[in-house]
Structures are given as C-alpha cells and as structure tokens.
C-alpha cells in the first residue's frame, strides 16, 4: 500500500527563525494521527508548509505518490478558526458550499444539488438548524463544526486539521471526534494538530511528536510515552497530572 | 431622460460618473473585506506624479497617456508598500503613510514645475487634485466608462471566487484558486477604478468614493452579495448626485460634491441602517428594557403562560 502523505527533510522559517527543521515522516492510509508539541514547535507551520501555504526552505512532500498540485481535490484542509474574519456577511450553509467550489467549477454558480450536499454535511455535524444563521452569530464550537462540514463536503481522502478542538465546548469536541472516527472508518486519513495531551490516547491511534523536528512518530501506545513526550516538551511538563522533571 | 439645466456634455459626464461610482462601490467592498481601505487612498495619491509625467512627456493633455501614467504611479506605489513591508520591520500602515505622502508631495512639486511651462496652465492639470468632471469630453467619458465596465464584468463573472478569496484565502488556495492570481486581479481592478476616477473625483478624494459606499452598505445587510449590490448603488448615486450638484456652479470641483453625497448616504445608513443602525438599535433596546421591566407574572402571561 502506498503512503498517503510522505514528508522528507522539510524545513521552513519565519523571518530568520527556523521553526521547522528537517522534518521527515510518512503517514499510512486510514490512520488518525495527532500532531503534538509545545507552543512554537511548528505544528501549524508544518501543516501550512505541507500545503504550500508557507514556503519551504528545503525538502519534499508528496500526496498519494504525487505532488500537491496534482491531487489538491483529494486533500481537505481545516484551518484554525481564528484564521478568518467571522464578521464576514454570510451564513453557515454558504460557508459549507465553499467546500464544493472546486467541484462546481470556476466561474459557475452552485445549483440545487450542491446546496443539498452542503445541507447534508451540516446535518452530519448536527448543524442543520443553523444553516441560514449568520456566521458571526455562531458560537466558537458551532463555527468549528461549520468548518468541519465544509471539509466533509469536499469528500477528500486526506484531511489536515489545525487545532479543531481549541476553545470548543465538550459537546462540540465529542461531535468533532465522532466525525473524525467516522472518516477513519470510511478509510480516510486524518491528521490533526492537537494541544491537549490528556486526550491523545483516547482520541488518536497515531501520534507525531514535534518540536521543530519530528521527535517521534508511530502508533500511540508505542510513541506516546513519558520519556518521548519529555523529549518533545522539555522538563516543564506535568505527565498525566503528576508534576515531574 | 434629460435632466433640466444640464448641457449635452454634462449629461455624458453624468453617465460617466454614474458608472464610475458603481465600479468604485464594488471594488470598495472588496477592499473593505481585504482590510485594505487605506490602500486605495495611498494608491490614488501615488498616481498624481504619474499623471503629471504623462502630461510632460506628450506636452499636451492626452488622457490615455496621462491615465497610463497614473496607473504606473499607483502600481509603483503598491510595489513599494509591499517591498517596505516585506523587507523591513515597518508595518503596512506606516508603509502606506510613507508612500502616500512622498508620492503626493513629488506630484505637487512636478505639477508646480510643469504649470510654468507654456500652455500647461490651461490644460486643467489642477483638476486632477480635486476632480473636475465638467472638464471631461465625450471621448474621455467613453474611455472611463469602458474601463469601469471592465471592472464591473470581472467582479460579476467571478463573484463566487471573490467571495471565497476574501473570506478565506488559505482555503481558496487549497481548492486550487491561485492567491497570486486573485491578488493581481484585485490590484488590477483597484488601480483601474482609481485611474478612471481621478479626473472626475481627484486623487485626494478618490479613496472616499471607494471606502464610503461599502461602509454604508454594511449597515443594511448580512449578505455579501447584497452588500456588494448596495455598495454599487450607493457609489453610483453618489457619483451622479455629486456631478449634478457641481454642475450648477461654474468651476465647482466635482470631487467634494461626490464625496459629500457619499457621506450623506453614510449618515443615513448609520442612523437608519436595518442591521446596526443607531435608531434600530435604540428601538430594540428600548423594547427589551420595557419587556424586562414588566412584573414577572405579566411576562409569563405574555409568553403564553407555559413558562414556569
């Protein structure tokens, strides 16, 4: 089986600071992986550089054995909620429709069929009743669900999510994780930037520990160990609620 | 339809400023959501030296050459702002301030020098500062309207793409919509509207015609499409009304009248806008307060008596 995502020797910088240094890893199909690391470890930068939203200094990335431009429609990206202006005048359904723009075709208008698909995606996220709600009037968790519905509707094979659980309520966290599990059961591959160490073992079958470079990567049971996490986080970490180090 | 008191030429000019205002209203909406309203001000000021150099090169008033000069000036200004921002620690607002004042100062200096040349004083170069729609002839109107229509078409045909790009450019890129292409197209349209507008509105006030209609439209609607349409209408009305008003006095500059018309529409929107107008909000708050002041049993009765 070929890899879904292969990253080799990827480096990137912001101004003069190298925030990503020689990151190398391969993601297997059908896995649900958490990207974990301290603040400033380059987690978001890793996603952005993989997706060519941020320039890479060196290294290569391939999706399904092909360069990104060839397989864009098979890759769904869910940016951080704070990356857009939620005051933008539009409603939830319209945002979800944006996920279909690639399939609708440039310069064409979305039809009834597309609207129904978008509605279905909202339904899957439990957001049906908010379809015509202004996005500025949605709660943070609801906004995140709209973003996820927009990714769902793309029907991609690989999903990259940047902190989808940051600042959402418990109900939304459950709904999002249920959706990610569903995607996995459909054979999709999911990569999630995650910040909460407490839930890593419950939610993800693979872990990628990152601190400017890949510290460890593999199945959660083998990779997410105290010593490995310490290597990624340094000495200030409380491991499973117990202070150490 | 003929408008009383306006000459044949003035009616052509009216058509020109109407189309200009419409295009400015649409592009102004895009600038608003790109958070670049001030950029339009910097670029219109930056176009002045280009206009004067265009005039000096030909030696007479040749509108296409002067507009090409204006476009070159504005684009150079845009490039400089981008360069200052990306290659130094100076933030974008400061970079815009620098470019705006330096280019405008340079333009005024050139204007003073060129005005001493023979024949220049009569050429109406001064009208590019505050705008003089009356100085336009039919050929100018055709050129302006053609360019403004081009902007209109680009915005309408790619409306869905504009919306996606303005709301979430990173996601747009993931779908294969090139950010570089959209940014270039946006800059192209913005510069085109500025270039088209400076003869009628002037470099100093051009930005007001780009910014004000969009801000006014925001007070009326929660839909991006309706906001763009409203902004276009507000811009077109401001352009036309300002032109008509300035035509009633001899030698009155058009720009200030257009801007004041746009400002009047803004004040009306601010007060009565259906979305967040001051009056609407006051009424809503008053109703809410009255509801909350009622004794509890009355409120329950009002809710149908089933709230326990």
């Amino acid at each position: 089986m070929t890899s879904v995502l292969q990253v080799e020797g990827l480096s990137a910088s912001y101004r003069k600071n190298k925030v990503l240094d020689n990151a190398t890893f391969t993601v297997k199909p059908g896995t649900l992986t958490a990207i974990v690391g301290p603040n400033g470890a380059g987690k978001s930068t890793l996603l952005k550089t993989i997706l060519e939203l941020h320039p890479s200094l060196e290294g290569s990335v391939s999706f399904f054995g092909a360069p990104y431009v060839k397989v864009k429609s098979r890759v769904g990206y869910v940016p951080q909620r704070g990356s857009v202006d939620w005051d933008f005048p539009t409603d939830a359904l319209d945002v979800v429709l944006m996920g279909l723009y690639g399939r609708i075709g440039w310069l064409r208008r979305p039809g009834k069929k597309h609207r129904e698909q978008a509605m279905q995606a909202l339904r899957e996220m439990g957001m049906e009743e908010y379809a015509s709600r202004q996005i500025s009037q949605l709660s943070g968790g609801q906004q995140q669900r709209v973003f996820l519905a927009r990714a769902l509707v793309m029907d991609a094979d690989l999903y990259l999510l940047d902190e989808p659980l940051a600042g959402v309520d418990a109900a939304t966290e459950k709904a999002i994780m249920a959706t990610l599990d569903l995607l996995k059961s459909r054979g999709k591959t999911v990569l999630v930037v995650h910040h909460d160490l407490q839930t890593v073992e419950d939610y993800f079958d693979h872990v990628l520990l990152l601190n400017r470079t890949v510290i460890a990567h593999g199945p959660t049971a083998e990779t997410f160990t105290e010593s490995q996490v310490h290597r990624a986080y340094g000495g200030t970490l409380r491991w499973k609620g117990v202070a150490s180090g | 339809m003929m408008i009383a008191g306006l000459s044949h030429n003035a009616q052509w000019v009216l058509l020109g400023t109407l189309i200009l205002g419409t295009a400015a209203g649409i592009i102004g909406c895009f600038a608003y959501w790109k958070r670049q309203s001030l950029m339009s001000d910097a670029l219109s000021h930056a176009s002045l030296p280009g206009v004067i150099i265009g005039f000096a090169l030909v030696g007479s008033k040749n509108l296409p050459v002067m507009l090409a000069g204006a476009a070159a000036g504005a684009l150079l200004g845009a490039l400089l702002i981008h360069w200052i921002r990306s290659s130094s620690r100076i933030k974008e607002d400061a970079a815009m301030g620098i470019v705006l004042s330096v280019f405008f100062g340079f333009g005024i200096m050139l204007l003073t020098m060129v005005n001493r040349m023979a024949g220049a004083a009569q050429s109406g170069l001064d009208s590019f500062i505050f705008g003089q729609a009356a100085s336009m002839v039919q050929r100018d109107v055709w050129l302006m309207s053609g360019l403004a229509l081009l902007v209109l078409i680009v915005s309408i045909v790619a409306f869905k793409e504009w919306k996606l790009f303005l709301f979430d450019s990173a996601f747009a890129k993931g779908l294969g919509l090139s950010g570089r292409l959209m940014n270039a197209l946006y800059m192209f349209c913005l510069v085109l509207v500025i270039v088209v507008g400076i003869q009628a509105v002037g470099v100093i006030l051009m930005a007001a015609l780009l910014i004000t209609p969009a801000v006014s439209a925001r007070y009326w609607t929660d839909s991006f499409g309706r906001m763009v349409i409203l902004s276009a209408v507000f811009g077109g009305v401001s352009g036309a009304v300002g032109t008509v008003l300035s035509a009633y006095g001899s030698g009155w500059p058009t720009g200030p009248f257009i801007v004041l018309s746009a400002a009047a529409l803004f004040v009306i929107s601010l007060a009565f806008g259906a979305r967040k107008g001051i009056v609407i909000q006051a009424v809503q708050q008053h109703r809410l307060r009255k509801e909350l002041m009622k004794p509890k049993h009355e409120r329950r009765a009002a809710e149908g008596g089933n709230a326990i």
Side-chain angles (χ1 to χ4, degrees), chain A residues 15 51-54 68 72-73 75-79 83-91 94-95 98-102 104-110 134-137 147 150-151 154, chain B residues 32-33 35 84-91 154 156-178 218 221-225 227 275-276:
Chain A
R15 292 202 178 266
L51 294 165
E52 296 173 14
L53 293 169
H54 186 82
Y68 180 47
K72 272 188 173 176
S73 63
V75 182
Y77 172 49
V78 181
S83 68
V84 303
D85 181 358
W86 290 93
D87 203 28
F88 193 84
T90 190
D91 57 35
D94 206 34
V95 172
M98 288 178 185
L100 289 167
Y101 279 11
I104 292 168
W106 301 122
L107 308 184
R108 286 160 190 260
R109 288 176 184 279
Q134 272 296 304
I135 56 170
S136 59
Q137 285 164 19
F147 257 17
R150 182 177 71 170
M154 288 178 70
Chain B
Y32 179 93
W33 287 112
R35 305 257 170 251
I84 292 174
R85 198 195 51 190
S86 57
S87 67
S88 72
R89 293 173 142 239
I90 299 170
K91 298 266 191 288
V154 169
I156 293 166
V157 168
F159 183 74
K160 165 168 129 281
E161 285 69 26
W162 283 113
K163 185 162 74 176
L164 176 65
F165 168 68
L166 291 170
F167 174 63
D168 193 346
S169 61
F171 187 75
K173 222 171 152 185
L175 290 182
L177 184 66
S178 159
R218 186 72 185 105
T221 177
D222 267 332
S223 140
F224 181 64
M227 180 179 168
R275 200 182 67 94
K276 274 203 166 153

Side-chain angles (χ1 to χ4, degrees), chain B residues 185-260:
Chain B
L185 206 58
Y186 163 75
M187 207 39 108
F188 172 76
C189 289
L190 181 63
V191 167
L192 216 52
V193 168
I194 289 171
V195 159
V196 163
I198 51 175
Q199 196 184 11
V201 189
V203 294
I204 296 185
L205 296 176
M206 187 56 218
L209 189 57
L210 281 156
I211 299 169
T212 324
V215 178
S216 307
R218 186 72 185 105
Y219 277 93
W220 293 98
T221 177
D222 267 332
S223 140
F224 181 64
R226 278 197 288 275
M227 180 179 168
V228 171
I229 292 170
L230 261 182
S231 180
V233 170
F234 286 165
V237 168
S238 311
V241 170
T243 306
V244 170
L245 289 180
S246 74
Y248 285 116
S250 87
W252 284 1
T254 328
F257 284 94
I258 289 181
V259 170
L260 285 179

Side-chain angles (χ1 to χ4, degrees), chain B residues 39-302:
Chain B
M39 181 67 115
S40 56
D41 201 23
L43 297 194
S44 57
H45 278 78
S47 68
L48 183 63
V51 175
I52 314 291
I53 290 172
F55 173 84
L57 283 180
V58 183
S60 68
K61 192 185 165 192
N62 178 323
L63 196 63
V65 174
M66 287 158 82
L67 293 193
L75 284 176
L76 187 64
L79 283 178
L80 261 179
I81 291 169
H82 183 75
W83 179 73
I84 292 174
R85 198 195 51 190
S86 57
S87 67
S88 72
R89 293 173 142 239
I90 299 170
K91 298 266 191 288
E92 188 166 44
D93 60 334
M96 288 193 289
I98 295 168
V99 166
L100 183 151
S101 42
V102 169
F103 273 65
F104 186 65
F106 183 54
I108 293 291
M109 189 191 83
L110 287 178
L111 179 65
T112 319
M113 284 160 61
V114 168
N115 262 343
R116 296 219 181 99
M117 283 165 42
Q122 285 82 41
S123 67
L125 270 182
D126 291 343
S127 69
F128 279 90
I129 297 178
F130 290 118
Q132 190 86 65
S135 70
M136 294 193 295
V137 294
Q138 201 166 324
R139 211 178 48 227
D140 301 347
V141 173
W142 278 119
L143 179 64
M144 273 179 48
S145 307
L147 293 177
L149 275 177
L150 183 67
V151 171
L152 276 177
I153 291 167
V154 169
S155 344
I156 293 166
V157 168
F159 183 74
K160 165 168 129 281
E161 285 69 26
W162 283 113
K163 185 162 74 176
L164 176 65
F165 168 68
L166 291 170
F167 174 63
D168 193 346
S169 61
F171 187 75
K173 222 171 152 185
L175 290 182
L177 184 66
S178 159
R180 194 171 291 190
L181 173 75
M182 290 306 284
N183 267 317
L185 206 58
Y186 163 75
M187 207 39 108
F188 172 76
C189 289
L190 181 63
V191 167
L192 216 52
V193 168
I194 289 171
V195 159
V196 163
I198 51 175
Q199 196 184 11
V201 189
V203 294
I204 296 185
L205 296 176
M206 187 56 218
L209 189 57
L210 281 156
I211 299 169
T212 324
V215 178
S216 307
R218 186 72 185 105
Y219 277 93
W220 293 98
T221 177
D222 267 332
S223 140
F224 181 64
R226 278 197 288 275
M227 180 179 168
V228 171
I229 292 170
L230 261 182
S231 180
V233 170
F234 286 165
V237 168
S238 311
V241 170
T243 306
V244 170
L245 289 180
S246 74
Y248 285 116
S250 87
W252 284 1
T254 328
F257 284 94
I258 289 181
V259 170
L260 285 179
S261 310
L265 284 172
F266 170 70
V267 171
I268 294 171
S269 306
L270 177 68
F272 303 107
R275 200 182 67 94
K276 274 203 166 153
I278 293 171
V279 174
I280 295 286
Q281 278 195 324
V283 169
Q284 282 171 346
Q285 277 191 358
H286 179 72
R287 273 197 199 141
L288 195 66
R289 201 167 298 142
K290 230 168 113 183
E291 188 63 32
L292 291 172
M293 295 284 274
K294 272 186 198 165
K296 265 191 181 161
H297 58 92
E298 260 183 59
R299 248 193 288 163
R300 252 181 239 154

